[in-house]
Amino acid sequence: MKKNSVSVGIIGFGTVGSGTAHILITSADVIRERTGFAVELKRIADLDVTRDRGVKLPAGMLTTDPAAVIDDPDIDIVIELMGGIHPAKEFMIRAIRNGKHVVTANKALLATEGNELFAEAERAGVEIGFEASVAGGIPIIKVLREGLIANRIIAVYGIINGTSNYIFTKMSDEKVEFSEALKEAQRLGYAEADPAFDIEGIDSAHKLTILASLAYGIPLSYNEVYKEGITRITAQDIAFAAELGYKVKLLAITKATNEGIEMRVHPTMVPNEYLISKVDGVFNAVYVQGDAVGATLYYGRGAGDMPTGSAVVADIIDIGRNVMCGSTRRIPGIPGFVKPGAAAKKIKKMDDVESMYYFRFSAFDEPGVLSRISGILGNYNISIASVIQKGRSIGGSVPVVVLAHRSREKDVLSALREIDALPVVSEKTLFIRVEDSKE
Ligand code: HSE
């Protein structure tokens, strides 16, 4: 690397690639002024070199050959923005073995293959920048690795999938059902290439894997994250939740408890008085509670060309600055800050997680039904906080909504198995976990 410039190449000229190139070109003067060095964009590789992305590039910059970036000895930092696992993983390893630093927005790759990639980077003495992999433009990686380094992290709660948040917001504001809201999210281009990643909680779980690793110094443990999507939630549930004083959000949660670290993604009812309940539309927010700092909240755009490009360029500059003063790998990558040889930390099983619960039973409107349901709940130590039943249905079923005090997941699942087998219950019971610190 030269003294006054750093040379970068991008692989993947899609949404984030275009935003990154745009920022590097249009903000070159600002970057030079603030850092004292230039970031030179040398090559961009993509299979499609003809589509107009609205970014004016010098002739010859675009290539269809990724090797022109990965193997170019003049390129210091390879920016991987192609997404997916293969061949992104192989390209990244080749760049690392070539002695190049890497910057990526690829949360799926890091969550599932990251332990190997970070070990490769350590061996090669290079850095992997991954600010753009979680919550787009919100600098949450920097918050956990640097800003809150003095804290034991008590809990992290994130709305880190804009598509699901957009869907819930639309269902709540316009009283439309899930399928209609999803179609609109896809039309607006918010959803991942495979929308299952958004609506089944997979994208949030990828991002949570990264946050938990940084917060608790554990290896990337994607397979240990409990995931539940948003497809079963109806506009009626969102309306009942509102009546009870809650918003429904797809929350990614990691917490330190005496029984181990919780890592879970599921629809969650959040009290209206929590700031995070007000995060609507495609916006993301991450709440971090530290033992010294207390409660903190970070809000912004979690996707899109320019917000995510902003995070990619910040990583390039961080790496550039480190190289300029000869101090690369100053801040550990993943898993966060762990003493070599330290015992593995325990991950809590979902069965042992405790929270309040919302239940929507579909029950026949007959005398004694509620007492049979509440009897089973009582047998499993599940205590009722409130009940809503509206309307009458002679010979048919009605929704009976119950809010339960803090209970254990294992007990809830056992109780629901018994309740759903009752002849007076017509459909599988819908339940939503409730976060409420008043409990
Ligand atoms: N599909 C993702 C979202 C994009 O909706 O948030 C950003 O990772």
Side-chain angles (χ1 to χ4, degrees), residues 179-369:
S179 53
E180 192 182 330
L182 170 64
K183 262 190 223 127
E184 188 61 9
Q186 284 176 303
R187 196 185 65 76
L188 292 168
Y190 298 147
E192 293 286 311
D194 177 356
F197 273 47
D198 297 299
I199 61 179
E200 299 298 349
I202 299 167
D203 178 67
S204 291
H206 286 147
K207 294 166 180 167
L208 182 70
T209 303
I210 297 169
L211 294 181
S213 176
L214 294 176
Y216 298 115
I218 54 173
L220 294 154
S221 312
Y222 174 71
N223 290 333
E224 311 251 19
V225 178
Y226 173 83
K227 312 176 257 315
E228 193 180 297
I230 64 170
T231 56
R232 290 177 315 121
I233 308 293
T234 65
Q236 189 185 39
D237 294 309
I238 291 178
F240 278 131
E243 202 169 317
L244 291 161
Y246 295 88
K247 285 282 230 9
V248 183
K249 297 289 176 195
L250 180 68
L251 275 200
I253 300 171
T254 182
K255 280 188 203 180
T257 73
N258 290 338
E259 302 82 43
I261 295 161
E262 293 182 9
M263 291 193 287
R264 47 195 173 102
V265 172
H266 49 70
T268 309
M269 277 169 42
V270 183
N272 286 339
E273 56 273 22
Y274 284 19
L275 273 179
I276 205 164
S277 79
K278 296 174 179 46
V279 174
D280 283 332
V282 282
F283 276 87
N284 281 201
V286 186
Y287 167 94
V288 184
Q289 197 187 349
D291 66 342
V293 72
T296 63
L297 184 66
Y298 310 88
Y299 169 85
R301 290 189 184 276
D305 54 351
M306 298 296 277
T308 315
S310 156
V312 170
V313 174
D315 272 346
I316 297 171
I317 292 173
D318 265 358
I319 294 173
R321 280 177 159 153
N322 287 347
V323 171
M324 295 288 162
C325 63
S327 64
T328 46
R329 303 195 52 78
R330 193 172 57 87
I331 300 165
I334 273 182
F337 306 88
V338 202
K339 223 165 86 197
K345 291 185 185 157
K346 193 175 161 217
I347 310 292
K348 189 166 168 179
K349 290 202 169 51
M350 193 60 200
D351 263 358
D352 297 324
V353 165
E354 287 186 358
S355 78
M356 286 176 73
Y357 285 81
Y358 158 102
F359 302 113
R360 174 171 48 80
F361 301 106
S362 300
F364 289 111
D365 200 5
E366 292 167 12
V369 170

Side-chain angles (χ1 to χ4, degrees), residues 117-139:
L117 293 167
F118 281 97
E120 283 277 352
E122 193 172 341
R123 274 195 291 277
V126 299
E127 297 199 25
I128 299 178
F130 54 104
E131 185 62 71
S133 65
V134 182
I138 307 175

